[in-house]
Amino acid sequence: MRRIEQLYIDGGFVKPHGTEVAELINPTTEAVIATLILADAEDTRRAIAAAKAALPSFAKSTKEERIAMLKRLNEAVLARTDKLRDITVEEYGGPLSRATWIAQYSSQAFLDAAQTLESYDFVRRMGRSSVVMEPVGVSALIIPWNSVAGTICSKLSMAIAAGCTVVIKPSELGALQAQVVTEALHDAGLPPGVLNVVNGRGDVVGGELAANPDVARISFTGSTAIGKVILHTATETMKRVSLSLSGKSPTIILDDANFAEAVPMALNAAFMNNGQACIAGTRLFVPEKRLPEVIELVEKAVGKMKVGDPHDKETIIGPMANSRHLARVQRYISIGLKEGATLVTGGEGRPEGLDRGYFVKPTVFANVRNEMTIAKEEIFGPVLSILTYRDEEQAVRLANASDYGLHAYVFSSNVPRANAVAARLEAGRVMVNTLQNDALAPFGGYKQSGFGREFGLLGLESFLEPKAIIGD
Ligand code: NAD
């Protein structure tokens, strides 16, 4: 049994003031694999004070110094790639291929930030003024459980590039992954106080970060419900807030697409990361007349998907990350059935042969209407709804008829036509005939998927405050 009994504050691992103990459970075996001491508000204030004390000198560091730090962070995380992959499989249940990708993506984030920083001008002329982009200040980075290492590294890389000191609050459900990342980050030897990591409950540690007047900026990734709570609290001290929130993203397959390729890609978009992905394409729009063909392709592709032990390299879908979440996904499947959607594959209960672990059957519903609960709410599991459209106009209208607007996917053999559809979609990102991430392009949501952008130039600027110096 592992124990996580320390926080990372002011350049070292320290004993928490908090005493509450939480257990971490392997979602594949349901065994308790670790205990964690949760930090309290006093620990959080200590971390904020360390970040505040380190800020004046770190904010003055040069671009070259910060590029060197980003490269050291990249090397340190890269050196833990295997450990990070293994712990992601064990603690989170991420299938091996996904866990491998996350481990690599985490280290790469620092090189992407270094590349953005290299060509960035912190001083620009605008009108008669010199505009200086200054670090915004102590930044709180709040992390969800479905992408612990990747989100820590991508947010941290931008804060460091900008010259901001940070307090990171990982999800308490991903403490082992956060521990491996923290040990790696420690090896990079940043100045004490620049980086602090406090594991604890959302309302306690996150609540203190959102309220504390010494925190200038909050970069939050998580649910829309909690994003609203944070925004409300942060308004009191006028913090700069960016919110990367929930999604219910549409995938549109246009009638001229190669369906044999597009349908399996649409399924990948829906089921990636065990379906626990904010960017999952969970509403699939297909031409009305082609529904029977789509159903046949879906049955064939899902039939081949291995559900089970995430250590197995053949596995496509591992367990849900925790028992509460499993119950949530099962509840949505039963709502889909009650609302009268047609079950194409999957359904309630465990997949055959898996009597332990938080597994669900990959489930696809057809004849779903946009007003059904399963088409409106984020399920966050391997559950896909197929909806039909008569023409392109209706496809765009239905795709946009959602409270969310994080991501969208368009498949077509005619790229200019697909791009024209993409231009009309209300989403922060639209992927055209691809599922490949672009780590230098902005990432963030329209509507209730949040605001503010991460990654690349706009991600860097979200940690900067412009100051105009006007003088004739
Ligand atoms: P969550 O909102 O429950 O928690 C996210 C983080 O906020 C955790 O660290 C949690 O401890 C903390 N938190 C909880 N209550 C808080 C409070 N009152 N004050 C401050 N912090 C608090 O989300 P989750 O369940 O961890 O993650 C899943 C959700 O995150 C899904 O809705 C998913 O779509 C979303 N998500 C979005 C993105 C994106 O980039 N848009 C990426 C990953 C996940």
Side-chain angles (χ1 to χ4, degrees):
M1 175 83 64
R2 278 156 288 187
R3 290 169 205 269
I4 303 178
E5 298 183 322
Q6 293 180 319
L7 310 173
Y8 187 76
I9 297 180
D10 209 14
F13 290 91
V14 299
K15 194 169 174 296
H17 176 267
T19 52
E20 189 183 344
V21 177
E23 287 182 337
L24 297 167
I25 294 172
N26 177 326
T28 308
T29 62
E30 300 185 29
V32 178
I33 50 172
T35 58
L36 158 77
I37 301 184
L38 296 167
D40 62 12
E42 191 166 325
D43 292 312
T44 314
R45 287 191 285 274
R46 198 172 150 200
I48 295 168
K52 186 183 177 187
L55 183 68
S57 114
F58 190 59
K60 284 200 208 87
S61 57
T62 64
K63 200 160 135 171
E64 289 66 35
E65 284 166 337
R66 298 210 290 274
I67 288 173
M69 286 180 209
L70 289 166
K71 290 189 175 160
R72 292 209 302 277
L73 285 162
N74 160 263
E75 282 159 21
V77 176
L78 197 58
R80 310 274 169 135
T81 304
D82 291 355
K83 216 172 160 193
L84 205 47
R85 178 201 58 209
D86 294 347
I87 204 68
T88 306
V89 176
E90 187 184 355
E91 181 183 44
Y92 173 65
L96 203 54
S97 59
R98 175 77 189 183
T100 306
W101 181 81
I102 277 290
Q104 287 157 353
Y105 166 88
S106 302
S107 55
Q108 180 62 33
F110 296 106
L111 292 187
D112 293 337
Q115 186 186 333
T116 302
L117 179 55
E118 209 134 31
S119 57
Y120 189 74
D121 266 334
F122 282 85
V123 184
R124 281 173 262 175
R125 292 295 298 178
M126 291 187 198
R128 296 183 292 113
S129 306
S130 174
V131 177
V132 186
M133 301 299 285
E134 297 184 338
V136 68
V138 173
S139 299
L141 314 181
I142 305 183
I143 313 295
W145 52 257
N146 71 315
S147 169
V148 176
T151 313
I152 290 179
C153 293
S154 62
K155 287 186 190 297
L156 175 65
S157 66
M158 283 301 161
I160 297 290
C164 293
T165 58
V166 306
V167 178
I168 300 173
K169 188 240 163 295
S171 167
E172 58 279 28
L173 301 169
L176 286 168
Q177 297 157 81
Q179 180 74 8
V180 173
V181 181
T182 307
E183 285 165 10
L185 302 176
H186 173 69
D187 287 351
L190 299 190
V194 167
L195 155 75
N196 306 277
V197 185
V198 184
N199 259 311
R201 289 195 186 283
D203 55 344
V204 178
V205 175
E208 179 64 32
L209 289 169
N212 194 297
D214 288 333
V215 174
R217 155 104 171 90
I218 296 199
S219 175
F220 173 78
T221 296
S223 62
T224 295
I226 300 296
K228 288 178 184 177
V229 173
I230 290 178
L231 186 60
H232 190 79
T233 310
T235 303
E236 194 55 43
T237 45
M238 215 50 87
K239 296 188 198 323
R240 278 63 185 134
V241 178
S242 64
L243 301 171
S244 288
L245 307 176
S246 315
K248 191 75 197 176
S249 300
T251 299
I252 300 179
I253 301 185
L254 294 174
D255 53 8
D256 61 5
N258 176 341
F259 277 47
E261 283 174 13
V263 170
M265 282 174 86
L267 282 166
N268 280 347
F271 293 168
M272 65 170 102
N273 204 17
N274 301 341
Q276 299 167 150
C278 55
I279 60 168
T282 49
R283 290 182 299 142
L284 172 59
F285 292 92
V286 301
E288 211 167 63
K289 290 194 194 112
R290 310 282 294 271
L291 182 62
E293 184 188 340
V294 170
I295 288 179
E296 208 173 296
L297 287 164
V298 163
E299 282 170 337
K300 202 165 129 205
V302 176
K304 281 197 226 143
M305 279 180 191
K306 184 161 189 230
V307 184
D309 184 355
H311 293 93
D312 182 341
K313 62 179 190 320
E314 304 295 318
T315 294
I316 302 290
I317 300 178
M320 299 295 91
N322 56 68
S323 61
R324 232 180 76 201
H325 192 58
L326 171 73
R328 173 193 162 96
V329 176
Q330 292 287 359
R331 193 179 78 240
Y332 274 110
I333 295 174
S334 71
I335 289 174
L337 293 169
K338 276 196 206 104
E339 285 185 334
T342 308
L343 187 65
V344 174
T345 182
E348 291 172 292
R350 288 171 179 281
E352 214 173 301
L354 292 168
D355 49 16
R356 215 172 29 156
Y358 306 137
F359 293 98
V360 295
K361 296 178 195 162
T363 297
V364 180
F365 287 108
N367 300 316
V368 177
R369 294 185 314 278
N370 239 3
E371 56 277 13
M372 287 181 178
T373 309
I374 54 168
K376 283 201 301 208
E377 297 182 12
E378 184 185 56
I379 299 173
F380 222 53
V383 182
L384 172 67
S385 294
I386 304 178
L387 301 93
T388 56
Y389 64 84
R390 276 186 310 279
D391 52 28
E392 202 177 288
E393 203 53 37
Q394 193 191 25
V396 170
R397 188 167 50 75
L398 291 174
N400 285 340
S402 168
D403 288 342
Y404 298 110
L406 186 61
H407 231 259
Y409 306 82
V410 181
F411 294 97
S412 167
S413 58
N414 178 341
V415 174
R417 181 183 173 203
N419 286 340
V421 169
R424 298 176 65 198
L425 293 175
E426 296 164 358
R429 273 187 168 196
V430 186
M431 290 190 165
V432 174
N433 294 332
T434 183
L435 300 182
Q436 291 297 317
N437 182 40
D438 182 352
L440 294 174
F443 175 77
Y446 278 38
K447 302 190 271 186
Q448 296 210 26
S449 290
F451 54 75
R453 291 295 180 268
E454 304 197 58
F455 302 173
L457 181 68
L458 299 188
L460 174 60
E461 291 202 327
S462 76
F463 284 92
L464 295 168
E465 189 87 87
K467 178 191 281 172
I469 300 173
I470 309 170
D472 288 319

